[in-house]
Amino acid sequence: MAENKIAGITGGSRGLGKNMAIRLAEKGHDVIITYNANKQAANDVVAEIEAKGTQAAALQLDVADFNSLPLFLKEVAGTLQSKWGKHTFDFLINNAVIGSTIPYDKVTESDFDKFMNIHFKSVYFLTQQSLLMMNNNGRIINISTGTTRFCAPGYSVYASMKGAIEVFTKYVAKEAGARGITANVLAPGPIETDFNNAVIRNNPER
C-alpha cells in the first residue's frame, strides 16, 4: 500500500486554505498547515483532518515577518521527522494572504512593503527553501487572483504582487521541472468564505 503524500499549506486554518487541507485529507493525503495567530482554529482543522483517518500538524508562521522563515523551516523539518519519520514532503500550496482594499493614491510605502513581504517575498523564498525538502515529482500551487486579469479599484498593490507570483511560478516550473516537480497558479474569482464573506455579500457587482 502506497504511503500518504504530505502537503504543506500556508494559511490553512481558515477560508480557502482550510478547505484545501480538508479536501486533500479526504483524498488520503497528510497535511501540515500554518496559521498566523489563531492556534485554536488551526488545531480544530488538524482534529477534523485526523478524524478522516489521515495525519496533520499545525505550525505558526507570520508570512509578513520574512526573518521568521529560517526558524519555521527548521520546525517543518522537525515535524516531518517526529510525526512522519521523514525528511521530505510532496506538495506546497502558497495560500496565506491579507485582504485590504486601498485606493492607489492612498497606498503607503509601509502598505507596499507589507503586501510584498506576504504575497511575494515570503512565497519566493519559502518555495526556494522548500524545494530542498520536496520529493521529486512534487507539486507547487501558488494562489493568485482574478484581479491580475481585470481591474478592481483598490486592488493595485495586491494584484501587482500576485502578478509577480504568476511570473515567478513560470520560472519555478522551468527550473524545477527536471526533477519532475510541477508549478502552477490557481487564480479564483470571488469566493465567499469566512475571510471575505462580508465584502462579497455587500458588493452586488462581484
Side-chain angles (χ1 to χ4, degrees), residues 39 69 71 89 109 123 166 184 197:
K39 183 177 182 179
L69 280 182
L71 177 59
F89 67 103
E109 183 177 0
V123 173
E166 294 187 3
N184 289 283
N197 53 12

Side-chain angles (χ1 to χ4, degrees), residues 7-163:
I9 305 175
T10 63
S13 64
R14 62 184 296 192
L16 292 180
K18 174 182 176 180
N19 184 267
M20 294 172 197
I22 292 170
R23 295 297 171 266
L24 282 167
E26 289 175 347
K27 292 183 177 296
H29 301 304
D30 297 334
V31 183
I32 298 174
I33 64 170
T34 76
Y35 65 94
N36 181 18
N38 195 337
K39 183 177 182 179
Q40 184 58 55
N43 288 340
D44 289 344
V45 175
V46 168
E48 187 171 350
I49 288 171
E50 293 187 336
K52 297 179 183 297
T54 58
Q55 297 188 76
L59 300 177
Q60 197 278 333
L61 173 64
D62 179 1
V63 289
D65 180 9
F66 177 73
N67 292 324
S68 70
L69 280 182
L71 177 59
F72 169 72
L73 289 162
K74 288 182 180 179
E75 291 177 342
V76 171
T79 300
L80 287 169
Q81 178 59 42
S82 63
K83 195 171 186 72
W84 286 277
K86 296 182 177 182
H87 300 286
T88 57
F89 67 103
D90 302 279
F91 310 138
L92 173 64
I93 303 175
N94 287 301
N95 166 74
V97 296
I98 57 167
S100 184
T101 304
I102 310 174
Y104 168 71
D105 61 351
K106 303 298 183 185
V107 175
T108 66
E109 183 177 0
S110 177
D111 293 328
F112 187 95
D113 289 346
K114 184 174 184 178
F115 272 76
M116 180 176 69
N117 283 343
I118 292 173
H119 296 111
F120 184 44
K121 188 176 181 179
S122 66
V123 173
Y124 189 105
F125 287 100
L126 178 59
T127 302
Q128 179 198 66
Q129 296 302 306
S130 292
L131 282 167
L132 301 175
M133 292 188 285
M134 184 173 288
N135 288 318
N136 290 344
N137 303 310
R139 302 288 181 262
I140 297 168
I141 302 292
N142 293 325
I143 306 302
S144 185
T145 171
T147 54
T148 60
R149 296 179 299 284
F150 61 84
C151 294
Y155 286 85
S156 65
V157 64
Y158 174 79
S160 294
M161 301 307 167
K162 290 298 190 179

